[in-house]
Amino acid sequence: AVSTMTTIKLLGEMNFLEVGQHMWERCDTASALLRRGCPLDRLEDPRGATVLLKNLKVTFHPKEQRHQQQHRQVTQLQPQSVLLHLRPGEPQSFEVKFKRVEDYPIDLYYLMDMSFTMEDDLPSVMKLGADLVEEMKNTTSDFRMGFGAFVDKTVMPYISTAEDKLRNPCKRTEPWPCAPPFTYHHVLSLTANGSLFTELVGEQRISGNLDLPEGGLDALMQAAVCEEQIGWRNVTRLLVFSTDGGFHFAGDGKLGGIVLPNDGKCHLHENVYTQANFQDYPSVTHIAEILRQKNIQIIFAVTKEVSHLYEGLRSIFPKCAVGTLSNNSHNILQIIVDAYNALTSEVVMENSKLPAGYHISYTSHCKDHRPMHGEQGRRCSNISIGDEVSFNVSITAPLCVTASQRPSRVIIKPQGYSEEVEVLLSPICECSCQKDAAPHSPSCSHGNGTLECGACRCKEGRVGTFCECNQAELSEVVDPYLCHRDNVSGVCSGHGECVCGKCVCHKSSKKPNHAYYGQFCECSDFSCDHYQGLQCGGHGRCVCGVCVCLPGFSGQACECPLSLESCLSQDRHVCAGRGDCHCGTCVCHDDRFQGPTCELCPSCPSVCTLHRECILCRAFSLGLNHMECEMRCAHLNLTLLGQANDLATVTPSSGHRCMEVDSEGCRVHFLLRTGQRRVHVHVALERECPSGPDVILITAVLSASVVVLGVALLLLWKLLTNIHDRREFARFQRELEQRRWTRVDNPIYKSAITTVVNPKYKEQ
């Protein structure tokens, strides 16, 4: 592959390129340039690098020292800032460590639905302050909590705008009237005073609205963006959202005549949301993005009836947990503790938007030390306090279009945490030799260009490798004539362009890594003959359209091996003595012989069959008569053995082991070795003759078969006869029953009584 970043600093050696070679041919892989004669000290091959700009180690200190001042600064993420020098296409990696540190500060804001249906939950929330502070002492010594309340927008159809309903939406006075409706009221900023939380929550009164969904998303937006009023710190941020109803979202405000979209800004005045009746509800994705930006982890404490609505938000919100409230919220403390443990036991890495063309990947190394890739490479679960996990982050830059003036910035951080890793991306789009450019260099035709990285960058109006030509003075007639190889060829053989009377060759249009070269661009290293789908048969290299074969090969496509190894038969004879070896392939003299070494003859009888008649007549006096046997079989040197097993003891054991069948059907075993004039045969006199048929057994089997078949036929006949008789008897019984009738049923019986009705008779 051609590298766009590897080039050469020719400086004084401007003759690296041959005549007809283009300037881009100075760029190649480092190994290819070295093979072409580029000195190692003139090779420009910039590499990427990773520089840690800020690398504070993760905090480690025992719990008993957490009150000391030197341990107040807590670090869970390492490193904090990284600079990546990125060569296009070459990934750069660095390791990000995360440790769930003991005694990490926590801010918790409790956002409660104050509609009338939540009245029985308020006493449980009042006790939450002291209980939660006491419970969180086991996790951190720096815990703060705040409180806010919400109902809905104070316009129809969300609440009744009647004057008495605006004062008391519940129509009651005992034990106390309801508070006037409101959208969002920030009650208590984050504080470590649990008693103050209990006191202020106890002063709250329930309000009311008309519809079931509440304005919780309005309150959630303000609680997230009003960081100064709420008192959020850059620590673990938890927001508990408690309700027994659903929520209005973007577009619902049109029912009340509110059409302006939510701007996602803080609008608290004297701790009251002032734009509720002028801006629509925020969308769910808008809330999710704000929570991600503000590093807030949300805990939905909702009733069973609406829990399915908030479960659907878990896939949208960055870090989210859902707990089911009891009837009076007495389990709210346990919900918060369980949700906090679940949220903080999982780390999910995320990053800001990458510049166009960049690619990032993660590989996680969690507690089980097994590397995970893809989406699973972004997360680690079941992390306890004190556990440390790591993520290998790899970033790849695209090809350079224009050199960037300043590095791009990407933020990597765990979801729900304020700590982050700043990654500066600095693509390497220039070689270091460009800093040593020499303007008006004498090497570029007496100062008509800048010598930069060993190449002349010509002034406007000058062309040529060394800027030697004035473009305005070039002759359109003479210049192309100098670039013709002969009178019939085209300009630069049709593979280049004529510049200053010299050919500048092009790349192949089909394969950009294939190039033309030569004085007239007449040469290429990809136009040689192919053999078996490979240029030069894979046994040579193409030089200017001609195959230069490796040692041991010849031919136009290096298709002919000079070695005879492929033509040797099993007996190490060339083509088994029946042919000649041409280009690594046997050409057989006799057309009957086939195969790569002329050893196969499908139409030829085997050597065993060829000598069968002579062996049978010489050893067993079978077949040929005596005189014919003596005349035709005198070439046999016969040795008689007893049994077939004795053939295995014959030495040497080389030869053909044969088995033939004689005219009596018996098997004859013999060992045959061919010499130059005689054939040596060892014959086993004991023949394997098949035994005759067992007449008694065959007769008995046939007789038994006839008897069994006869009995079976008789039984079948008897069965069919019986079935037929039963059917006939049943039909007789039915006909007999039909002939038995009474007098009433007699078809020829007629009654003696006749009844006549007078049509004019009418009953009085």
Side-chain angles (χ1 to χ4, degrees), residues 624-653:
L624 301 176
N625 57 44
H626 180 71
M627 288 183 62
E628 193 175 6
C629 184
E630 289 294 336
M631 290 176 59
R632 293 174 54 182
C633 305
H635 64 286
L636 290 183
N637 187 354
L638 203 63
T639 302
L640 301 178
L641 301 176
Q643 299 179 349
N645 295 336
D646 295 338
L647 295 176
T649 62
V650 176
T651 57
S653 58

PDB file of all heavy atoms in Angstrom, residues 624-653:
ATOM      1  N   LEU A 624      -3.555 -74.203 -21.150  1.00  0.00           N
ATOM      2  CA  LEU A 624      -2.797 -74.535 -22.358  1.00  0.00           C
ATOM      3  C   LEU A 624      -2.368 -76.002 -22.352  1.00  0.00           C
ATOM      4  O   LEU A 624      -2.108 -76.582 -21.286  1.00  0.00           O
ATOM      5  CB  LEU A 624      -1.565 -73.620 -22.470  1.00  0.00           C
ATOM      6  CG  LEU A 624      -1.830 -72.103 -22.528  1.00  0.00           C
ATOM      7  CD1 LEU A 624      -0.506 -71.343 -22.528  1.00  0.00           C
ATOM      8  CD2 LEU A 624      -2.656 -71.751 -23.753  1.00  0.00           C
ATOM      9  N   ASN A 625      -2.209 -76.588 -23.567  1.00  0.00           N
ATOM     10  CA  ASN A 625      -1.691 -77.956 -23.639  1.00  0.00           C
ATOM     11  C   ASN A 625      -0.179 -77.935 -23.395  1.00  0.00           C
ATOM     12  O   ASN A 625       0.452 -76.872 -23.321  1.00  0.00           O
ATOM     13  CB  ASN A 625      -2.040 -78.585 -24.992  1.00  0.00           C
ATOM     14  CG  ASN A 625      -1.496 -77.756 -26.164  1.00  0.00           C
ATOM     15  OD1 ASN A 625      -0.357 -77.306 -26.146  1.00  0.00           O
ATOM     16  ND2 ASN A 625      -2.329 -77.559 -27.182  1.00  0.00           N
ATOM     17  N   HIS A 626       0.373 -79.115 -23.320  1.00  0.00           N
ATOM     18  CA  HIS A 626       1.763 -79.242 -22.897  1.00  0.00           C
ATOM     19  C   HIS A 626       2.721 -78.564 -23.879  1.00  0.00           C
ATOM     20  O   HIS A 626       3.633 -77.813 -23.470  1.00  0.00           O
ATOM     21  CB  HIS A 626       2.122 -80.736 -22.742  1.00  0.00           C
ATOM     22  CG  HIS A 626       3.550 -80.936 -22.302  1.00  0.00           C
ATOM     23  ND1 HIS A 626       3.960 -80.630 -21.032  1.00  0.00           N
ATOM     24  CD2 HIS A 626       4.646 -81.398 -22.985  1.00  0.00           C
ATOM     25  CE1 HIS A 626       5.258 -80.880 -20.921  1.00  0.00           C
ATOM     26  NE2 HIS A 626       5.701 -81.367 -22.107  1.00  0.00           N
ATOM     27  N   MET A 627       2.552 -78.803 -25.165  1.00  0.00           N
ATOM     28  CA  MET A 627       3.486 -78.260 -26.154  1.00  0.00           C
ATOM     29  C   MET A 627       3.369 -76.718 -26.226  1.00  0.00           C
ATOM     30  O   MET A 627       4.380 -76.008 -26.268  1.00  0.00           O
ATOM     31  CB  MET A 627       3.187 -78.865 -27.535  1.00  0.00           C
ATOM     32  CG  MET A 627       3.583 -80.327 -27.668  1.00  0.00           C
ATOM     33  SD  MET A 627       3.296 -80.946 -29.335  1.00  0.00           S
ATOM     34  CE  MET A 627       4.390 -79.877 -30.257  1.00  0.00           C
ATOM     35  N   GLU A 628       2.149 -76.229 -26.207  1.00  0.00           N
ATOM     36  CA  GLU A 628       1.955 -74.779 -26.268  1.00  0.00           C
ATOM     37  C   GLU A 628       2.502 -74.088 -25.033  1.00  0.00           C
ATOM     38  O   GLU A 628       3.061 -72.992 -25.093  1.00  0.00           O
ATOM     39  CB  GLU A 628       0.458 -74.483 -26.438  1.00  0.00           C
ATOM     40  CG  GLU A 628       0.176 -73.042 -26.831  1.00  0.00           C
ATOM     41  CD  GLU A 628      -1.283 -72.800 -27.114  1.00  0.00           C
ATOM     42  OE1 GLU A 628      -2.099 -73.740 -26.900  1.00  0.00           O
ATOM     43  OE2 GLU A 628      -1.642 -71.683 -27.539  1.00  0.00           O
ATOM     44  N   CYS A 629       2.365 -74.768 -23.888  1.00  0.00           N
ATOM     45  CA  CYS A 629       2.873 -74.213 -22.628  1.00  0.00           C
ATOM     46  C   CYS A 629       4.394 -74.112 -22.669  1.00  0.00           C
ATOM     47  O   CYS A 629       4.979 -73.132 -22.214  1.00  0.00           O
ATOM     48  CB  CYS A 629       2.400 -75.078 -21.462  1.00  0.00           C
ATOM     49  SG  CYS A 629       2.870 -74.434 -19.832  1.00  0.00           S
ATOM     50  N   GLU A 630       5.064 -75.137 -23.201  1.00  0.00           N
ATOM     51  CA  GLU A 630       6.524 -75.123 -23.259  1.00  0.00           C
ATOM     52  C   GLU A 630       7.021 -74.021 -24.190  1.00  0.00           C
ATOM     53  O   GLU A 630       8.043 -73.385 -23.939  1.00  0.00           O
ATOM     54  CB  GLU A 630       7.026 -76.489 -23.749  1.00  0.00           C
ATOM     55  CG  GLU A 630       6.859 -77.611 -22.734  1.00  0.00           C
ATOM     56  CD  GLU A 630       7.731 -77.407 -21.510  1.00  0.00           C
ATOM     57  OE1 GLU A 630       8.766 -76.697 -21.619  1.00  0.00           O
ATOM     58  OE2 GLU A 630       7.367 -77.918 -20.441  1.00  0.00           O
ATOM     59  N   MET A 631       6.300 -73.793 -25.269  1.00  0.00           N
ATOM     60  CA  MET A 631       6.755 -72.805 -26.238  1.00  0.00           C
ATOM     61  C   MET A 631       6.521 -71.356 -25.739  1.00  0.00           C
ATOM     62  O   MET A 631       7.400 -70.507 -25.838  1.00  0.00           O
ATOM     63  CB  MET A 631       5.999 -73.003 -27.559  1.00  0.00           C
ATOM     64  CG  MET A 631       6.383 -74.275 -28.308  1.00  0.00           C
ATOM     65  SD  MET A 631       5.387 -74.510 -29.780  1.00  0.00           S
ATOM     66  CE  MET A 631       5.773 -73.021 -30.661  1.00  0.00           C
ATOM     67  N   ARG A 632       5.351 -71.107 -25.170  1.00  0.00           N
ATOM     68  CA  ARG A 632       5.003 -69.724 -24.796  1.00  0.00           C
ATOM     69  C   ARG A 632       5.501 -69.316 -23.426  1.00  0.00           C
ATOM     70  O   ARG A 632       5.633 -68.119 -23.143  1.00  0.00           O
ATOM     71  CB  ARG A 632       3.482 -69.541 -24.863  1.00  0.00           C
ATOM     72  CG  ARG A 632       2.931 -69.623 -26.282  1.00  0.00           C
ATOM     73  CD  ARG A 632       1.408 -69.577 -26.268  1.00  0.00           C
ATOM     74  NE  ARG A 632       0.899 -68.405 -25.531  1.00  0.00           N
ATOM     75  CZ  ARG A 632      -0.389 -68.143 -25.335  1.00  0.00           C
ATOM     76  NH1 ARG A 632      -1.294 -68.981 -25.852  1.00  0.00           N
ATOM     77  NH2 ARG A 632      -0.763 -67.092 -24.672  1.00  0.00           N
ATOM     78  N   CYS A 633       5.777 -70.290 -22.567  1.00  0.00           N
ATOM     79  CA  CYS A 633       6.063 -69.945 -21.165  1.00  0.00           C
ATOM     80  C   CYS A 633       7.482 -70.317 -20.756  1.00  0.00           C
ATOM     81  O   CYS A 633       7.757 -70.534 -19.563  1.00  0.00           O
ATOM     82  CB  CYS A 633       5.071 -70.637 -20.241  1.00  0.00           C
ATOM     83  SG  CYS A 633       3.341 -70.285 -20.647  1.00  0.00           S
ATOM     84  N   ALA A 634       8.409 -70.468 -21.733  1.00  0.00           N
ATOM     85  CA  ALA A 634       9.778 -70.834 -21.383  1.00  0.00           C
ATOM     86  C   ALA A 634      10.494 -69.723 -20.627  1.00  0.00           C
ATOM     87  O   ALA A 634      11.508 -69.960 -19.957  1.00  0.00           O
ATOM     88  CB  ALA A 634      10.544 -71.199 -22.660  1.00  0.00           C
ATOM     89  N   HIS A 635      10.001 -68.488 -20.715  1.00  0.00           N
ATOM     90  CA  HIS A 635      10.689 -67.355 -20.069  1.00  0.00           C
ATOM     91  C   HIS A 635      10.446 -67.314 -18.564  1.00  0.00           C
ATOM     92  O   HIS A 635      11.060 -66.518 -17.854  1.00  0.00           O
ATOM     93  CB  HIS A 635      10.216 -66.040 -20.690  1.00  0.00           C
ATOM     94  CG  HIS A 635       8.763 -65.770 -20.462  1.00  0.00           C
ATOM     95  ND1 HIS A 635       7.765 -66.457 -21.136  1.00  0.00           N
ATOM     96  CD2 HIS A 635       8.137 -64.897 -19.621  1.00  0.00           C
ATOM     97  CE1 HIS A 635       6.591 -66.020 -20.742  1.00  0.00           C
ATOM     98  NE2 HIS A 635       6.799 -65.064 -19.813  1.00  0.00           N
ATOM     99  N   LEU A 636       9.528 -68.144 -18.067  1.00  0.00           N
ATOM    100  CA  LEU A 636       9.227 -68.121 -16.628  1.00  0.00           C
ATOM    101  C   LEU A 636      10.238 -68.925 -15.855  1.00  0.00           C
ATOM    102  O   LEU A 636      10.563 -70.068 -16.199  1.00  0.00           O
ATOM    103  CB  LEU A 636       7.827 -68.675 -16.360  1.00  0.00           C
ATOM    104  CG  LEU A 636       6.628 -67.830 -16.808  1.00  0.00           C
ATOM    105  CD1 LEU A 636       5.330 -68.507 -16.402  1.00  0.00           C
ATOM    106  CD2 LEU A 636       6.695 -66.442 -16.210  1.00  0.00           C
ATOM    107  N   ASN A 637      10.781 -68.330 -14.776  1.00  0.00           N
ATOM    108  CA  ASN A 637      11.640 -69.027 -13.812  1.00  0.00           C
ATOM    109  C   ASN A 637      10.752 -69.315 -12.615  1.00  0.00           C
ATOM    110  O   ASN A 637      10.508 -68.447 -11.780  1.00  0.00           O
ATOM    111  CB  ASN A 637      12.830 -68.151 -13.442  1.00  0.00           C
ATOM    112  CG  ASN A 637      13.820 -68.910 -12.575  1.00  0.00           C
ATOM    113  OD1 ASN A 637      13.570 -70.036 -12.160  1.00  0.00           O
ATOM    114  ND2 ASN A 637      14.952 -68.274 -12.298  1.00  0.00           N
ATOM    115  N   LEU A 638      10.239 -70.570 -12.530  1.00  0.00           N
ATOM    116  CA  LEU A 638       9.167 -70.914 -11.596  1.00  0.00           C
ATOM    117  C   LEU A 638       9.735 -71.508 -10.319  1.00  0.00           C
ATOM    118  O   LEU A 638      10.613 -72.364 -10.350  1.00  0.00           O
ATOM    119  CB  LEU A 638       8.216 -71.915 -12.259  1.00  0.00           C
ATOM    120  CG  LEU A 638       6.792 -71.982 -11.704  1.00  0.00           C
ATOM    121  CD1 LEU A 638       6.081 -70.674 -11.908  1.00  0.00           C
ATOM    122  CD2 LEU A 638       6.033 -73.116 -12.388  1.00  0.00           C
ATOM    123  N   THR A 639       9.229 -71.040  -9.158  1.00  0.00           N
ATOM    124  CA  THR A 639       9.565 -71.592  -7.841  1.00  0.00           C
ATOM    125  C   THR A 639       8.256 -71.919  -7.151  1.00  0.00           C
ATOM    126  O   THR A 639       7.389 -71.045  -6.992  1.00  0.00           O
ATOM    127  CB  THR A 639      10.366 -70.593  -6.999  1.00  0.00           C
ATOM    128  OG1 THR A 639      11.561 -70.233  -7.710  1.00  0.00           O
ATOM    129  CG2 THR A 639      10.735 -71.192  -5.660  1.00  0.00           C
ATOM    130  N   LEU A 640       8.103 -73.192  -6.735  1.00  0.00           N
ATOM    131  CA  LEU A 640       6.849 -73.640  -6.121  1.00  0.00           C
ATOM    132  C   LEU A 640       6.960 -73.594  -4.604  1.00  0.00           C
ATOM    133  O   LEU A 640       7.950 -74.054  -4.031  1.00  0.00           O
ATOM    134  CB  LEU A 640       6.525 -75.057  -6.599  1.00  0.00           C
ATOM    135  CG  LEU A 640       6.373 -75.231  -8.116  1.00  0.00           C
ATOM    136  CD1 LEU A 640       6.092 -76.691  -8.458  1.00  0.00           C
ATOM    137  CD2 LEU A 640       5.273 -74.334  -8.645  1.00  0.00           C
ATOM    138  N   LEU A 641       5.947 -73.047  -3.980  1.00  0.00           N
ATOM    139  CA  LEU A 641       5.868 -72.981  -2.518  1.00  0.00           C
ATOM    140  C   LEU A 641       4.620 -73.720  -2.066  1.00  0.00           C
ATOM    141  O   LEU A 641       3.762 -74.080  -2.878  1.00  0.00           O
ATOM    142  CB  LEU A 641       5.831 -71.528  -2.044  1.00  0.00           C
ATOM    143  CG  LEU A 641       7.034 -70.654  -2.446  1.00  0.00           C
ATOM    144  CD1 LEU A 641       6.809 -69.213  -1.996  1.00  0.00           C
ATOM    145  CD2 LEU A 641       8.325 -71.193  -1.829  1.00  0.00           C
ATOM    146  N   GLY A 642       4.508 -73.929  -0.763  1.00  0.00           N
ATOM    147  CA  GLY A 642       3.385 -74.703  -0.245  1.00  0.00           C
ATOM    148  C   GLY A 642       2.115 -73.865  -0.145  1.00  0.00           C
ATOM    149  O   GLY A 642       1.156 -74.059  -0.885  1.00  0.00           O
ATOM    150  N   GLN A 643       2.094 -72.935   0.807  1.00  0.00           N
ATOM    151  CA  GLN A 643       0.887 -72.156   1.072  1.00  0.00           C
ATOM    152  C   GLN A 643       1.086 -70.696   0.662  1.00  0.00           C
ATOM    153  O   GLN A 643       2.215 -70.229   0.432  1.00  0.00           O
ATOM    154  CB  GLN A 643       0.534 -72.222   2.566  1.00  0.00           C
ATOM    155  CG  GLN A 643       0.248 -73.635   3.052  1.00  0.00           C
ATOM    156  CD  GLN A 643      -0.069 -73.670   4.541  1.00  0.00           C
ATOM    157  OE1 GLN A 643       0.112 -72.686   5.235  1.00  0.00           O
ATOM    158  NE2 GLN A 643      -0.531 -74.827   5.009  1.00  0.00           N
ATOM    159  N   ALA A 644      -0.033 -69.961   0.623  1.00  0.00           N
ATOM    160  CA  ALA A 644       0.026 -68.551   0.228  1.00  0.00           C
ATOM    161  C   ALA A 644       0.797 -67.710   1.238  1.00  0.00           C
ATOM    162  O   ALA A 644       1.433 -66.713   0.885  1.00  0.00           O
ATOM    163  CB  ALA A 644      -1.392 -68.002   0.056  1.00  0.00           C
ATOM    164  N   ASN A 645       0.781 -68.127   2.508  1.00  0.00           N
ATOM    165  CA  ASN A 645       1.508 -67.375   3.533  1.00  0.00           C
ATOM    166  C   ASN A 645       3.009 -67.443   3.330  1.00  0.00           C
ATOM    167  O   ASN A 645       3.751 -66.580   3.822  1.00  0.00           O
ATOM    168  CB  ASN A 645       1.148 -67.888   4.926  1.00  0.00           C
ATOM    169  CG  ASN A 645      -0.316 -67.634   5.271  1.00  0.00           C
ATOM    170  OD1 ASN A 645      -0.930 -66.717   4.709  1.00  0.00           O
ATOM    171  ND2 ASN A 645      -0.891 -68.440   6.153  1.00  0.00           N
ATOM    172  N   ASP A 646       3.478 -68.458   2.617  1.00  0.00           N
ATOM    173  CA  ASP A 646       4.921 -68.591   2.406  1.00  0.00           C
ATOM    174  C   ASP A 646       5.454 -67.523   1.466  1.00  0.00           C
ATOM    175  O   ASP A 646       6.669 -67.286   1.422  1.00  0.00           O
ATOM    176  CB  ASP A 646       5.235 -69.980   1.821  1.00  0.00           C
ATOM    177  CG  ASP A 646       4.889 -71.105   2.809  1.00  0.00           C
ATOM    178  OD1 ASP A 646       4.832 -70.800   4.026  1.00  0.00           O
ATOM    179  OD2 ASP A 646       4.659 -72.239   2.372  1.00  0.00           O
ATOM    180  N   LEU A 647       4.571 -66.856   0.724  1.00  0.00           N
ATOM    181  CA  LEU A 647       5.040 -65.809  -0.193  1.00  0.00           C
ATOM    182  C   LEU A 647       5.618 -64.615   0.554  1.00  0.00           C
ATOM    183  O   LEU A 647       6.452 -63.876   0.018  1.00  0.00           O
ATOM    184  CB  LEU A 647       3.884 -65.341  -1.084  1.00  0.00           C
ATOM    185  CG  LEU A 647       3.305 -66.386  -2.052  1.00  0.00           C
ATOM    186  CD1 LEU A 647       2.107 -65.808  -2.783  1.00  0.00           C
ATOM    187  CD2 LEU A 647       4.361 -66.822  -3.056  1.00  0.00           C
ATOM    188  N   ALA A 648       5.187 -64.441   1.798  1.00  0.00           N
ATOM    189  CA  ALA A 648       5.685 -63.308   2.584  1.00  0.00           C
ATOM    190  C   ALA A 648       7.129 -63.492   2.998  1.00  0.00           C
ATOM    191  O   ALA A 648       7.815 -62.528   3.348  1.00  0.00           O
ATOM    192  CB  ALA A 648       4.796 -63.100   3.822  1.00  0.00           C
ATOM    193  N   THR A 649       7.626 -64.747   2.958  1.00  0.00           N
ATOM    194  CA  THR A 649       9.006 -65.013   3.394  1.00  0.00           C
ATOM    195  C   THR A 649       9.995 -64.911   2.249  1.00  0.00           C
ATOM    196  O   THR A 649      11.204 -65.050   2.469  1.00  0.00           O
ATOM    197  CB  THR A 649       9.088 -66.415   4.019  1.00  0.00           C
ATOM    198  OG1 THR A 649       8.743 -67.391   3.016  1.00  0.00           O
ATOM    199  CG2 THR A 649       8.110 -66.534   5.188  1.00  0.00           C
ATOM    200  N   VAL A 650       9.499 -64.665   1.040  1.00  0.00           N
ATOM    201  CA  VAL A 650      10.389 -64.608  -0.126  1.00  0.00           C
ATOM    202  C   VAL A 650      11.201 -63.317  -0.078  1.00  0.00           C
ATOM    203  O   VAL A 650      10.668 -62.230   0.187  1.00  0.00           O
ATOM    204  CB  VAL A 650       9.569 -64.685  -1.422  1.00  0.00           C
ATOM    205  CG1 VAL A 650      10.478 -64.520  -2.644  1.00  0.00           C
ATOM    206  CG2 VAL A 650       8.828 -66.010  -1.500  1.00  0.00           C
ATOM    207  N   THR A 651      12.499 -63.414  -0.298  1.00  0.00           N
ATOM    208  CA  THR A 651      13.383 -62.245  -0.355  1.00  0.00           C
ATOM    209  C   THR A 651      14.051 -62.193  -1.715  1.00  0.00           C
ATOM    210  O   THR A 651      14.424 -63.244  -2.263  1.00  0.00           O
ATOM    211  CB  THR A 651      14.451 -62.338   0.750  1.00  0.00           C
ATOM    212  OG1 THR A 651      15.183 -63.553   0.603  1.00  0.00           O
ATOM    213  CG2 THR A 651      13.832 -62.278   2.132  1.00  0.00           C
ATOM    214  N   PRO A 652      14.275 -61.036  -2.294  1.00  0.00           N
ATOM    215  CA  PRO A 652      13.713 -59.769  -1.795  1.00  0.00           C
ATOM    216  C   PRO A 652      12.214 -59.708  -1.997  1.00  0.00           C
ATOM    217  O   PRO A 652      11.683 -60.380  -2.857  1.00  0.00           O
ATOM    218  CB  PRO A 652      14.430 -58.723  -2.637  1.00  0.00           C
ATOM    219  CG  PRO A 652      14.736 -59.425  -3.918  1.00  0.00           C
ATOM    220  CD  PRO A 652      15.026 -60.854  -3.551  1.00  0.00           C
ATOM    221  N   SER A 653      11.553 -58.908  -1.179  1.00  0.00           N
ATOM    222  CA  SER A 653      10.085 -58.892  -1.185  1.00  0.00           C
ATOM    223  C   SER A 653       9.510 -58.000  -2.274  1.00  0.00           C
ATOM    224  O   SER A 653       8.302 -57.932  -2.431  1.00  0.00           O
ATOM    225  CB  SER A 653       9.566 -58.412   0.182  1.00  0.00           C
ATOM    226  OG  SER A 653      10.089 -57.119   0.462  1.00  0.00           O
TER     227      SER A 653
END
